[in-house]
Amino acid sequence: MTGAASTDAPARPHPSTLRIGVWLSMPVRPRSLLIGGILVVALIVTGVLTLTLGTLGIALGDIVPTLRGERQGRDEIVLTAFRGPRLVVGLAAGAALAVSGALFQTVTRNPLGSPDVIGLTSGASAGAAAFGLLWPGLLPLPVGALLGAFLAMALVFFGTGTGFSSPSRILLIGIGVSAMSLAFVQWVLVRAGREQATVLATYLNGSLAARDWNHATTIWAAIVILIPCALLLSRRLQLIEMGDEQADALGARSSAARALSISVAIGLATAAVSVAGPIAFIALVAPQIARRLSRSAGPNILASALMGAFLLSLADLLTQQLPLDVTLPVGVLTAILGGIYLGVLLFAQWKKGTL
Amino acid sequence: MARANNRTGRMPSGHSAGGSRLAARDLRLAYDKRVVVDGLSIDVPDGGFTIVVGPNACGKSTLLKALSRTLKPASGQVLLDGEPIDSYRSKAVARQLAMLPQSPIAPEAITVRDLVGRGRYPHQHLLQQWSHEDELAVADALSSTGCADLSERYVAELSGGQRQRVWIAMILAQQTDLLLLDEPTTFLDIAHQYEVLELCARLHSDGRTLVAVLHDLNQAARYASNLVVMKEGRIVASGLPGDILTADLVESVFGLPCVIIPDPVTGTPMVVPRAAPHP
Ligand SMILES: Nc1ncnc2c1ncn2[C@@H]1O[C@H](COP(=O)(O)OP(=O)(O)OP(=O)(O)O)[C@@H](O)[C@H]1O
Ligand SMILES: [Mg+2]
């Protein structure tokens, strides 16, 4: 029997373990560290390019002095008023969306589970449309978006009949809520005049243009609080991947872990939507790419966060520097890139025969 | 199968061990409003190999879920060491009792070693996520299930039988005295079925308490120190296979006319169906 034959096979040690004294020991994957390192470098490069390229760009050698506050005049204004806040908001919003997507995908055990699909983003659009065009001036757009997102999630929560405990019901009801929200947006747009609709369209696609430091504070506060929460939950989420029963049998209390994770995911996504509008696809695509690159199971929170920050800041860099006659909202670009990625993914699965 | 011979000799002593760390009293188990099990009580003999048999949908998996605290009873109680099982913290229960569900889900892109390592969760803390004991327990579980050579492979690439052994390794890494296994032999060819059963028998003879759901009555009779026969959410017979497994019982529970003869290898009861009723 195979059991007897390999009993004395030597046990290879676990890839590596980070130990600090007796009180800390964590498994560390070399591959994840490598991917993380590469992404950090990519982020720095994208950040530097964002600040230096184009007619308003700060010269490469002037970046450090400007950051130190040693430069006055044009460079300082570009950094503190134009590109600086935009970059800082883009990085954090990308990370927030990606972690939100990673959480949703893990708790629904579905690669399509993301704030886009379960109605959060379209709820935010509906909120923005309502307060931008239907009752203009009542509330600022971001607050309207926030309300819309919360309303959509409340509909999902009560629509399932079991709260956030059943993955398939969340997806089904979410898709319904999403469709209803989008229909509402269309209705508002058709009702409104063409000019007003054009103004709102930029917001509805998600845009990082004209961000200020208030936006930056909001989104950074959200990620500084919520991403550690996601990290704390991630071990229980790894177990949920094996099915709720197995997770419960291991002591992970799957229902509670799922409800907490979804709350964190909603918090992150609404924060991102309120500062940058409903940017499409980052939440869906970033965790998938992160997972494929780091080749590990589980929600991959940190890798997803870095990947989301990279993708969104890269997309925003492109919208700023592409030689087009109009400036696209960054959401249009992420939608195009995400669409291409989804196509590639589906094609790969179809070739493997797993579609 | 020399082991099987040895074991039959030991069976009575295995069964009369006395105590029951795990027991259930007056269980009523339901999904939403649909009652599946009602008024069921059971004592799982310590150190025994309890095998649960019964027709499809009679509530075997439901019973195992309740015993492992993954399903909350509508009424009645599951007792662990004499205390209601829901009075313990979830991780504390998971250090005493492991359960392999009927259809666990293998995550995407996970290696055998990592999957088995997840069985260590109840022993870990926030800051102690991978200790030396974890390392040893995983190595032990891998080698005793014959999975050591597979440890760097991806679970998705394994055959059904290899995967089943990996799942068993995962719950062994949990290092619990009580093991509940829901149909550990489904989808396996006959040789692999016996391989898994032999593994269970080895754990049993090491002193662990096992509860397994099986469909093959002859295998159940061969390996069980305590056979539990269920029908429509109730236990209709339990005890040593040699004492309780009669042709009448099989006919009344499964509706299958049969004769019972001694198993030529182990002497345990063997169910041989009568000729089909049609000509
Ligand atoms: N999650 C569930 N929700 C609702 N009903 C369920 C659920 N799981 C099982 N049931 C029902 O409970 C009854 C008992 O199911 P259970 O899975 O316990 O049967 P079983 O004896 O394990 O059957 P099998 O031999 O086919 O595995 C069945 O009628 C089944 O339809
Ligand atoms: Mg079953």
Side-chain angles (χ1 to χ4, degrees), chain A residues 204-226:
Chain A
L204 288 182
N205 281 311
S207 167
L208 289 169
R211 298 301 99 177
D212 62 33
W213 292 107
N214 286 333
H215 295 124
T217 319
T218 310
I219 187 68
W220 276 91
I223 66 169
V224 165
I225 295 169
L226 294 175

Side-chain angles (χ1 to χ4, degrees), chain B:
Chain B
M1 297 284 157
R3 306 183 61 100
N5 276 324
N6 302 340
R7 203 173 40 258
T8 29
R10 270 203 350 262
M11 259 186 196
S13 69
H15 186 221
S16 60
S20 286
R21 295 189 60 195
L22 183 64
R25 294 284 166 267
D26 283 325
L27 280 187
R28 175 205 280 264
L29 307 175
Y31 296 101
D32 295 323
K33 291 263 166 340
R34 221 163 65 78
V35 177
V36 174
V37 168
D38 203 2
L40 183 148
S41 295
I42 184 174
D43 291 286
V44 175
D46 288 345
F49 189 172
T50 299
I51 296 185
V52 182
V53 297
N56 287 137
C58 72
K60 305 179 294 293
S61 299
T62 307
L63 173 61
L64 249 60
K65 287 182 210 170
L67 290 177
S68 63
R69 201 170 94 150
T70 53
L71 178 73
K72 198 173 157 48
S75 69
Q77 262 181 348
V78 175
L79 302 172
L80 179 65
D81 292 323
E83 302 285 330
I85 198 165
D86 47 353
S87 69
Y88 296 90
R89 298 179 56 102
S90 333
K91 272 183 160 184
V93 173
R95 286 191 291 266
Q96 304 299 326
L97 185 155
M99 144 104 154
L100 182 62
Q102 190 165 352
S103 32
I105 305 166
E108 249 183 277
I110 191 168
T111 60
V112 168
R113 178 192 297 282
D114 286 347
L115 185 75
V116 174
R118 293 199 174 170
R120 296 300 295 166
Y121 175 78
H123 298 272
Q124 295 166 342
H125 312 283
L126 189 57
L127 296 177
Q128 291 284 342
Q129 296 190 2
W130 196 257
S131 67
H132 197 58
E133 291 84 73
D134 294 333
E135 191 86 49
L136 290 178
V138 167
D140 227 40
L142 285 171
S143 68
S144 66
T145 48
C147 294
D149 297 335
L150 305 176
S151 63
E152 305 306 326
R153 301 257 309 262
Y154 283 97
V155 176
E157 298 166 353
L158 300 180
S159 80
Q162 290 171 322
R163 206 173 301 173
Q164 193 67 29
R165 292 209 310 267
V166 170
W167 282 113
I168 295 176
M170 191 200 77
I171 63 162
L172 288 187
Q174 226 174 311
Q175 293 192 315
T176 59
D177 273 344
L178 292 151
L179 294 164
L180 311 184
L181 305 135
D182 198 348
E183 300 195 19
T185 55
T186 26
F187 305 125
L188 304 188
D189 68 39
I190 189 155
H192 283 109
Q193 289 181 20
Y194 278 97
E195 193 174 296
V196 166
L197 289 167
E198 283 297 309
L199 173 60
C200 292
R202 203 161 68 235
L203 295 166
H204 171 215
S205 62
D206 289 345
R208 312 254 201 139
T209 303
L210 279 84
V211 181
V213 173
L214 290 186
H215 275 299
D216 186 311
L217 294 179
N218 298 334
Q219 290 175 345
R222 220 180 228 209
Y223 286 90
S225 70
N226 177 36
L227 185 67
V228 172
V229 184
M230 283 183 72
K231 183 187 181 187
E232 290 165 10
R234 288 171 307 114
I235 294 179
V236 292
S238 72
L240 276 174
D243 297 346
I244 63 161
L245 202 59
T246 61
D248 285 349
L249 182 74
V250 175
E251 171 141 22
S252 79
V253 170
F254 294 92
L256 179 76
C258 64
V259 289
I260 304 267
I261 58 169
D263 185 313
V265 178
T266 57
T268 51
M270 189 161 118
V271 177
V272 182
R274 288 185 186 281
H278 49 79

Side-chain angles (χ1 to χ4, degrees), chain A residues 2 6-7 11-12 14 19 22-25 29 235-236 238-239 241-242 245-246 249-250 253 297, chain B residues 65 70 90 94 99 101 105 108-109 113-114 118 121 124 127-130 135 139 143 146 170 174 195:
Chain A
T2 44
S6 46
T7 316
R12 268 168 291 178
H14 198 267
R19 284 184 214 281
V22 288
W23 52 270
L24 183 82
S25 67
R29 272 162 203 291
R235 270 175 358 118
R236 283 162 76 186
Q238 289 187 338
L239 301 184
E241 280 188 315
M242 301 189 289
E245 245 174 80
Q246 184 65 81
L250 285 165
R253 286 177 294 137
Chain B
K65 287 182 210 170
T70 53
S90 333
M99 144 104 154
I105 305 166
E108 249 183 277
R113 178 192 297 282
D114 286 347
R118 293 199 174 170
Y121 175 78
Q124 295 166 342
L127 296 177
Q128 291 284 342
Q129 296 190 2
W130 196 257
E135 191 86 49
S143 68
M170 191 200 77
Q174 226 174 311
E195 193 174 296

